[in-house]
Amino acid sequence: MKKLLKNLHPQKGLEKTSLVLDEDYEHDLIENIAIKLMETHQKINLQPVVLCDEKIRLGLYRLLVKQIPTITVLSKQEISNSLQIKTEIVDTIELA
């Protein structure tokens, strides 16, 4: 996650951030996440959600949605405590 945090860049004049990664790392990251999402979907027969730190959520979403248009990326802070949601960590992705 440190590499993602280090590569977050605010866009001038906007309250938005983007992830700027080297091409090989970006490709590997997207590919690994896509594979995990497909495997997880097959295991649970539901649409999986990527849960990540709030600091990288928007940048990660913007990076992934270009290649995986149906992806949902949330941070823990976006999940309301008043909702009764069953969560299950099916898999994790370790970032280099």
Side-chain angles (χ1 to χ4, degrees):
M1 187 173 98
K2 288 181 184 180
K3 184 168 185 160
L4 295 180
L5 285 171
K6 189 171 77 173
N7 288 290
L8 277 176
H9 297 283
Q11 295 177 348
K12 271 193 168 180
L14 302 172
E15 294 180 21
K16 300 178 180 180
T17 58
S18 60
L19 275 172
V20 180
L21 304 168
D22 67 70
E23 195 173 316
D24 290 336
Y25 185 81
E26 181 176 311
H27 178 268
D28 290 346
L29 178 66
I30 293 169
E31 184 176 353
N32 287 335
I33 291 174
I35 289 168
K36 291 291 186 182
L37 289 172
M38 287 188 303
E39 290 172 353
T40 301
H41 184 270
Q42 290 174 348
K43 285 180 190 175
I44 65 174
N45 202 27
L46 295 169
Q47 179 67 34
V49 172
V50 175
L51 190 61
C52 65
D53 188 282
E54 68 179 332
K55 295 172 188 163
I56 64 168
R57 193 208 62 80
L58 184 57
L60 184 61
Y61 171 78
R62 289 177 181 203
L63 177 72
L64 296 174
V65 75
K66 296 179 218 172
Q67 300 297 319
I68 311 168
T70 60
I71 195 161
T72 301
V73 180
L74 296 174
S75 70
K76 291 179 183 179
Q77 292 76 9
E78 292 176 294
I79 300 173
S80 172
N81 289 336
S82 64
L83 296 176
Q84 290 184 349
I85 298 175
K86 180 184 176 196
T87 58
E88 179 179 345
I89 297 175
V90 178
D91 212 334
T92 59
I93 299 173
E94 294 297 324
L95 303 174

